[in-house]
Amino acid sequence: MPLLPRMVPVLVLWLAVCLAETWAVDRGNFKTCDQSAFCKRQRALKPGESPYRALLETMELTNTRLTLQLINDNNKVRLLLELYRLQGNITRVKINELKPLKPRYEVPDVLIREPPTEPLSLLSQDENGVVLSLGSESQRVIISARPFRLDIMEGSDVLMSLNSRGLLTFEHLRMRKDTQADPEAEKKEEADPANQAETTKEEEEKVEDGMWEETFKSHSDSKPNGPSAISLDFSLPGVEHVYGIPEHADTLRLKTTENGDPYRLYNLDVFQYELYNPMALYGAVPVMLAHNTQRTTGIFWLNAAETWVDISSNTAGKTVFGKMLDYVQGSSETPQTDVRWISESGIIDVFLMLGPTPKDVFSQYASLTGTQSFPPLASLGYHQCRWNYNDQEDVQSVDAGFDEHDIPYDFIWLDIEHTDGKRYFTWDPHKFATPKEMLQGLMDKKRKLVAIVDPHIKVDSNYKIHNEIRSKGFYIKNKDGGDYEGWCWPGSASYPDFFRADMRAWWASMFAYDQYEGSMENMYTWNDMNEPSVFNGPEVTMHKDTVHGAWEHRDVHNLYGFYVQMATAEGLIQRSGGIERPFVLTRAFFAGSQRYGAVWTGDNAAEWDHLKISIPMCLSLGLVGISFCGADVGGFFKSPSTELLVRWYQTGAYQPFFRAHAHLDTPRREPWLFGPENTALIREAVRQRYTLLPYWYQQFYHAHRTGEPIMRPLWVEYPQDPATFAVDDEFLIGRDLLVHPVTEEGARGVTAYLPGKDTVWFDIHTFQKHNGAQNLYIPVTMSSIPVFQRGGSIIPRKVRVRRSSTCMEHDPYTLYVALNLQRTAEGELYIDDGHTFNYEKKEFIHRRLSFAKNILSSVNLAPDAQFTTRSWIERVVILGASKPSKVTLQTADGQDSQLEFDFDASMSVLTLRKPGMNAGADWTVMLQ
């Protein structure tokens, strides 16, 4: 074998390890705003008089939209403003060049449909501006002409202002003046008055400043279209708390950025990322939520190019004493947060979601980009992963280890080493010689496997996948028209152009069982490195001047991972003839990625701060629609102490995606390798996850129907309690479970805030009752996971934990009924087959469980649905109960029977034993 091909994998691994070591300490591989020419240029503009003026005489108003030209008085370039009132209290604002030199990119495929409009009506107009009604007299849009400004008002309150600080900029496309250009195109530009930009001396001097070419480290960006950046500012009166714009390793409440870089949205492969800074990470969702005690609103900036978000506040930096002093002195300054979005290219296309409640905003965003996909039930169980399980025997041994130590799990994972030389859709012929045999062994135990399929394709003429993509012309092209090549795990690799629908269809077809040799129905997919990661590229990603048909990569970058996951999910659906739900994990994502599967927080480290940051990172993702989120349990890099590992399992068991993962160079860390005591602690955490799977599954069904987050911040349910607004070390699962994981080393206690003035909370382990609206100190030991059930809720659990979730399918339910101060409670029970799309054909059970006036009942919420279950109710535990003299069960057929019960007077807990009714039936239990 020649030396060079044998050396390629070694060189790639060496390069990756070197980069990893660098990235742990050196931020210099990634740009700051000052090093990103368009960000530096835009940020240099100071608030003040905007050059943009609305030309009111150009206004046209139809039943569905308003159009209006804006002119930049400095260079005479005209823009076209479009304003739409959308169904559901959303306003859409689009701004583009009136007559661009060539089309500017508008993001496709992210919106689930063209949003339906509602009528706009003109209320008044004069030479200074126009006033439009948003459906009622109280909600209006005011467009001011000079300078251009747009305000949305309700009554006398300004909800949001656009360009109130005068930071709208729109760098028009133009011909380059300092080189030989196409004279015909230049004549066309000069002949068109809409494009007649009077290039000032200042603009000419700036030509050298990264407008037409840019260098970062050894990489050069040719910028053939020149400057094309856009920017717009938004003012949010009365707002001090803003959230969202993931992905960042930062607090839930976004910080002001005046003294540092803006938050960056640019999908990048960042090994062992730093915490508490605004650097870009693997995914980008350009959605921000603003909240105060009166209202929640949202801003969705639909742009896929590199984007920076500046945040400033007039209350930032003020101490509590300073705010009190303002109050005492009668200071009239209203709190206000100002946000500025800056993108490298494309158009301004922004959706203003006007709430007014948090759940209204979730519904509004879901109406635009869709809801969280409804995953197979098994994917909500525990996942065991590392880079890498060595061979089939290793997989078999790890699988047996879970049985031997009585720890349930559903999925085992294979990283890149399972392939034949990093050729995806293949198996190592020596280590994984009979993959179907391995998969069948897992299937016999009702378990599953995930294999990685990355979107960098080894350049190798003996590799079928590469040959097909090349022959079909499906690779991304470099600026000179050839197939783009970069370095990644296989060595030299090319990258499929997932922006092409025909390429995505071909990719999906590769998951068919007769195409993906060795695959079976219990095998699912992991898309990693899909930012895309290019080891030798600028910022470890693709050059911006590569080409996707008519568009440069700079226009579309943040969409690449979205399309990879879309095509992969479609492949898993198609292989089953459209019957089975897919499971696809992605590292890179964008708005709308929730429709295709799960995400995780990437290459974290075995450090306590990384455990802590997993909470706000997943909370931020949930707020912008992506509920299926988790972090690598134990940390990907480095080796956790046993205490950290146990605490991470206890935290991960209460996050939506629950997977342990570890780096190639770390010691093995299967749950039973740390002594019997720690094995028992980990086993208990995993078992708690499995007992609550009925509740988790119900939350995913609800998220799929409504767009509401599963793992949610306290303020979502307690929007008028300012004490909840910045809490990010605890969270709710749905409405009814509050979790405060132990994330401090050596902790002997935690202080949890229990919200709700007239609410009670029950410790789910001890059934101790606590009042809401208090900070509760909770002593903890290594076995403690502080979790509370809200009084007024009913939560179903399955307490017979087996080796996988599928083995528990027909097991009975225990209902935990937590009474509120009014001695009532409500909950739901949702059951379907757990893995197909048949729920869309009304094949499910959905029941309302309620307790009032000492009667517990189950009522059908979906009388038109058809499904049967063998599961029954084997126990009911009522917290905060009184002792009855007798308990009577009445079933749908009119039969009455007396139930056995136990009553613990010290804890006010009533347990009804063996009621035995079918989980899908109507029934009533009366306490007398």
Side-chain angles (χ1 to χ4, degrees):
M1 187 178 185
L3 180 62
L4 188 58
R6 275 189 290 139
M7 289 297 293
V8 163
V10 178
L11 288 167
V12 171
L13 188 59
W14 173 82
L15 177 61
V17 169
C18 289
L19 286 171
E21 288 172 1
T22 306
W23 290 347
V25 292
D26 180 17
R27 295 167 66 175
N29 284 299
F30 304 100
K31 288 182 181 180
T32 63
C33 179
D34 264 358
Q35 293 168 313
S36 181
F38 80 93
C39 183
K40 183 179 181 181
R41 215 161 49 237
Q42 296 300 322
R43 218 181 185 202
L45 300 172
K46 299 302 176 197
E49 195 69 19
S50 171
Y52 288 96
R53 173 165 54 92
L55 300 173
L56 298 180
E57 66 277 11
T58 66
M59 185 179 82
E60 293 181 19
L61 181 62
T62 68
N63 197 33
T64 58
R65 71 168 185 167
L66 171 140
T67 60
L68 183 66
Q69 290 180 29
L70 309 178
I71 188 166
N72 181 331
D73 279 330
N74 290 345
N75 60 20
K76 308 308 180 200
V77 171
R78 292 192 182 196
L79 306 178
L80 180 68
L81 169 84
E82 297 174 73
L83 180 81
Y84 301 85
R85 176 184 163 220
L86 305 182
Q87 279 181 15
N89 207 17
I90 307 169
T91 299
R92 183 181 194 178
V93 178
K94 290 178 78 170
I95 303 176
N96 197 353
E97 291 184 56
L98 179 64
K99 295 185 178 177
L101 198 58
K102 59 168 75 172
R104 298 180 68 119
Y105 189 68
E106 299 187 38
V107 174
D109 299 321
V110 167
L111 301 178
I112 55 174
R113 59 179 174 170
E114 189 58 32
T117 58
E118 293 191 336
L120 281 165
S121 58
L122 185 65
L123 293 178
S124 64
Q125 178 178 0
D126 61 21
E127 69 277 7
N128 297 314
V130 295
V131 182
L132 301 158
S133 168
L134 287 177
S136 71
E137 278 296 317
S138 64
Q139 209 171 74
R140 327 182 285 294
V141 174
I142 300 174
I143 299 174
S144 304
R146 188 192 289 267
F148 163 70
R149 169 177 170 150
L150 190 151
D151 294 278
I152 297 182
M153 300 193 68
E154 188 166 275
S156 58
D157 296 328
V158 178
L159 303 183
M160 198 181 295
S161 301
L162 282 62
N163 202 38
S164 59
R165 300 170 70 221
L167 292 170
L168 165 65
T169 51
F170 212 102
E171 293 182 334
H172 62 284
L173 299 178
R174 66 202 78 175
M175 298 303 300
R176 188 167 183 172
K177 305 293 185 186
D178 60 342
T179 58
Q180 193 64 41
D182 176 1
E184 289 305 311
E186 210 162 306
K187 278 182 202 165
K188 177 176 178 270
E189 185 190 18
E190 286 167 5
D192 191 336
N195 280 325
Q196 279 183 357
E198 296 171 3
T199 308
T200 63
K201 187 169 189 300
E202 185 185 6
E203 278 181 322
E204 282 178 357
E205 284 169 0
K206 283 184 182 173
V207 164
E208 298 306 311
D209 189 19
M211 289 172 79
W212 291 93
E213 57 194 342
E214 187 174 354
T215 302
F216 177 66
K217 301 188 95 170
S218 61
H219 300 284
S220 128
D221 177 5
S222 63
K223 294 197 174 178
N225 294 318
S228 57
I230 56 172
S231 166
L232 184 58
D233 63 278
F234 301 77
S235 293
L236 302 162
V239 168
E240 295 183 80
H241 294 80
V242 289
Y243 311 90
I245 56 169
E247 184 176 37
H248 301 97
D250 209 346
T251 52
L252 173 65
R253 178 194 182 183
L254 298 170
K255 296 167 181 160
T256 56
T257 58
E258 291 113 312
N259 299 318
D261 260 7
Y263 284 97
R264 191 183 187 198
L265 295 171
Y266 189 59
N267 294 357
L268 293 172
D269 179 359
V270 187
F271 283 45
Q272 200 173 334
Y273 44 83
E274 290 184 26
L275 307 185
Y276 304 108
N277 72 53
M279 286 175 66
L281 287 178
Y282 311 95
V285 184
V287 175
M288 181 182 289
L289 275 66
H291 178 72
N292 62 22
T293 54
Q294 270 77 51
R295 182 178 285 268
T296 310
T297 56
I299 299 170
F300 172 26
W301 177 267
L302 183 52
N303 188 294
E306 179 186 344
T307 297
W308 300 77
V309 185
D310 251 327
I311 301 169
S312 57
S313 164
N314 62 0
T315 56
K318 280 193 179 177
T319 62
V320 172
F321 176 76
K323 290 179 183 178
M324 284 175 64
L325 195 64
D326 284 349
Y327 179 75
V328 170
Q329 293 174 345
S331 169
S332 61
E333 185 177 36
T334 305
Q336 178 167 304
T337 296
D338 296 308
V339 180
R340 185 187 184 195
W341 300 73
I342 303 167
S343 292
E344 184 172 14
S345 66
I347 69 164
I348 293 171
D349 190 0
V350 63
F351 297 83
L352 311 174
M353 299 173 287
L354 301 177
T357 70
K359 291 178 183 178
D360 289 330
V361 174
F362 302 141
S363 173
Q364 287 154 3
Y365 182 62
S367 76
L368 298 170
T369 67
T371 60
Q372 177 65 57
S373 61
F374 191 29
L377 172 59
S379 66
L380 307 185
Y382 172 62
H383 300 252
Q384 182 66 36
C385 184
R386 76 172 278 112
W387 177 23
N388 204 90
Y389 287 117
N390 300 321
D391 49 34
Q392 286 179 214
E393 292 70 31
D394 198 7
V395 169
Q396 194 173 3
S397 167
V398 171
D399 175 67
F402 278 90
D403 294 333
E404 185 185 335
H405 296 93
D406 195 24
I407 300 171
Y409 91 98
D410 270 87
F411 283 81
I412 191 163
W413 291 53
L414 295 178
D415 210 320
I416 54 177
E417 310 302 330
H418 83 277
T419 61
D420 180 8
K422 316 297 187 299
R423 297 169 182 87
Y424 304 107
F425 299 99
T426 71
W427 303 86
D428 184 298
H430 308 295
K431 296 177 178 179
F432 293 91
T434 54
K436 284 194 173 180
E437 188 180 301
M438 172 183 65
L439 285 161
Q440 188 61 52
L442 293 169
M443 189 181 283
D444 291 345
K445 293 184 178 182
K446 295 184 163 54
R447 288 175 175 151
K448 298 167 175 58
L449 180 138
V450 171
I452 199 165
V453 178
D454 287 348
H456 48 258
I457 303 300
K458 184 178 179 69
V459 175
D460 172 7
S461 58
N462 294 315
Y463 176 26
K464 181 187 87 167
I465 297 288
H466 164 69
N467 288 339
E468 286 206 34
I469 297 174
R470 186 179 56 184
S471 68
K472 293 174 186 294
F474 282 166
Y475 279 130
I476 295 169
K477 307 302 179 193
N478 60 35
K479 62 181 179 181
D480 301 316
D483 289 348
Y484 176 82
E485 287 189 27
W487 276 64
C488 209
W489 296 123
S492 188
S494 283
Y495 294 75
D497 191 347
F498 284 89
F499 294 85
R500 296 180 56 158
D502 51 358
M503 164 60 214
R504 295 196 300 273
W506 176 85
W507 179 268
S509 74
M510 290 298 100
F511 290 91
Y513 298 123
D514 61 351
Q515 292 289 333
Y516 193 161
E517 289 181 24
S519 66
M520 285 174 56
E521 56 266 34
N522 64 331
M523 183 172 133
Y524 298 82
T525 308
W526 172 18
N527 294 148
D528 197 3
M529 314 296 284
N530 54 341
E531 292 74 28
S533 178
V534 183
F535 289 161
N536 61 337
E539 301 191 89
V540 201
T541 194
M542 189 167 285
H543 294 73
K544 287 181 175 177
D545 54 7
T546 57
V547 178
H548 307 261
W551 307 107
E552 283 191 287
H553 188 70
R554 88 180 67 252
D555 301 315
V556 303
H557 174 86
N558 286 342
L559 279 171
Y560 191 77
F562 165 88
Y563 278 124
V564 174
Q565 190 186 23
M566 173 198 283
T568 302
E570 186 56 38
L572 296 193
I573 294 169
Q574 283 179 14
R575 73 179 186 179
S576 72
I579 293 167
E580 298 289 330
R581 291 178 236 165
F583 171 76
V584 182
L585 180 73
T586 181
R587 190 169 70 177
F589 51 83
F590 190 69
S593 287
Q594 67 270 14
R595 306 198 297 264
Y596 305 113
V599 306
W600 91 107
T601 62
D603 296 340
N604 59 0
E607 295 170 2
W608 286 93
D609 278 350
H610 277 262
L611 167 59
K612 288 175 200 163
I613 208 76
S614 71
I615 298 172
M617 288 182 78
C618 280
L619 286 174
S620 296
L621 280 159
L623 287 175
V624 299
I626 300 177
S627 272
F628 205 174
C629 168
D632 287 344
V633 168
F636 178 67
F637 286 107
K638 304 183 179 179
S639 295
S641 66
T642 51
E643 182 191 3
L644 175 57
L645 184 64
V646 168
R647 292 300 192 202
W648 214 317
Y649 268 98
Q650 291 171 342
T651 303
Y654 286 92
Q655 292 177 344
F657 177 55
F658 183 25
R659 180 186 77 152
H661 187 36
H663 189 277
L664 185 73
D665 294 335
T666 62
R668 294 290 283 254
R669 60 167 94 133
E670 283 72 45
W672 51 86
L673 296 178
F674 301 89
E677 204 173 293
N678 291 305
T679 300
L681 292 168
I682 293 171
R683 179 190 300 116
E684 174 56 24
V686 177
R687 287 174 69 89
Q688 285 186 35
R689 171 60 165 230
Y690 276 75
T691 64
L692 279 165
L693 281 179
Y695 182 71
W696 278 108
Y697 195 52
Q698 191 174 296
Q699 297 312 306
F700 270 89
Y701 180 73
H702 190 64
H704 180 58
R705 290 293 184 214
T706 67
E708 291 175 18
I710 294 167
M711 177 179 171
R712 60 185 68 160
L714 271 57
W715 64 260
V716 167
E717 293 297 332
Y718 301 89
Q720 294 180 311
D721 182 357
T724 66
F725 292 179
V727 172
D728 62 6
D729 58 355
E730 64 184 74
F731 53 90
L732 294 163
I733 303 169
R735 294 176 58 201
D736 299 334
L737 283 182
L738 184 149
V739 186
H740 191 302
V742 181
T743 58
E744 293 285 347
E745 187 174 13
R748 297 190 174 183
V750 298
T751 300
Y753 180 68
L754 302 181
K757 182 164 165 268
D758 298 315
T759 304
V760 290
W761 295 89
F762 293 87
D763 185 311
I764 70 163
H765 311 296
T766 67
F767 303 144
Q768 180 83 38
K769 182 166 82 171
H770 303 281
N771 291 324
Q774 67 155 324
N775 286 299
L776 178 70
Y777 179 78
I778 307 154
V780 297
T781 64
M782 275 308 296
S783 64
S784 304
I785 314 176
V787 182
F788 300 87
Q789 181 174 342
R790 183 181 61 82
S793 66
I794 302 175
I795 290 181
R797 298 193 218 172
K798 285 192 173 184
V799 296
R800 302 185 188 184
V801 176
R802 304 186 191 273
R803 66 173 170 242
S804 74
S805 64
T806 309
C807 293
M808 298 165 62
E809 180 182 1
H810 304 300
D811 283 349
Y813 291 90
T814 296
L815 303 181
Y816 286 81
V817 181
L819 300 185
N820 59 20
L821 295 175
Q822 293 75 41
R823 299 181 55 73
T824 64
E826 262 195 3
E828 293 179 13
L829 181 60
Y830 177 83
I831 307 169
D832 63 17
D833 63 25
H835 59 95
T836 74
F837 285 104
N838 289 350
Y839 71 91
E840 293 180 345
K841 298 188 279 189
K842 294 284 187 180
E843 292 183 22
F844 60 80
I845 292 165
H846 193 193
R847 303 199 67 84
R848 161 87 58 216
L849 307 170
S850 57
F851 185 96
K853 298 180 180 176
N854 281 334
I855 296 174
L856 175 65
S857 61
S858 173
V859 177
N860 196 350
L861 277 175
D864 56 340
Q866 296 294 321
F867 191 71
T868 56
T869 178
R870 286 158 47 188
S871 297
W872 69 100
I873 310 297
E874 73 168 344
R875 189 182 295 114
V876 178
V877 181
I878 304 177
L879 314 180
S882 304
K883 184 177 182 179
S885 56
K886 66 174 181 176
V887 179
T888 306
L889 168 66
Q890 189 173 76
T891 52
D893 58 8
Q895 296 292 311
D896 286 9
S897 54
Q898 303 299 304
L899 297 182
E900 298 174 18
F901 63 88
D902 295 329
F903 183 70
D904 179 344
S906 67
M907 299 301 292
S908 299
V909 176
L910 174 66
T911 303
L912 313 182
R913 303 203 175 279
K914 300 180 182 175
M917 52 281 198
N918 184 277
D922 290 346
W923 50 262
T924 301
V925 171
M926 290 167 283
L927 311 184
Q928 292 165 299

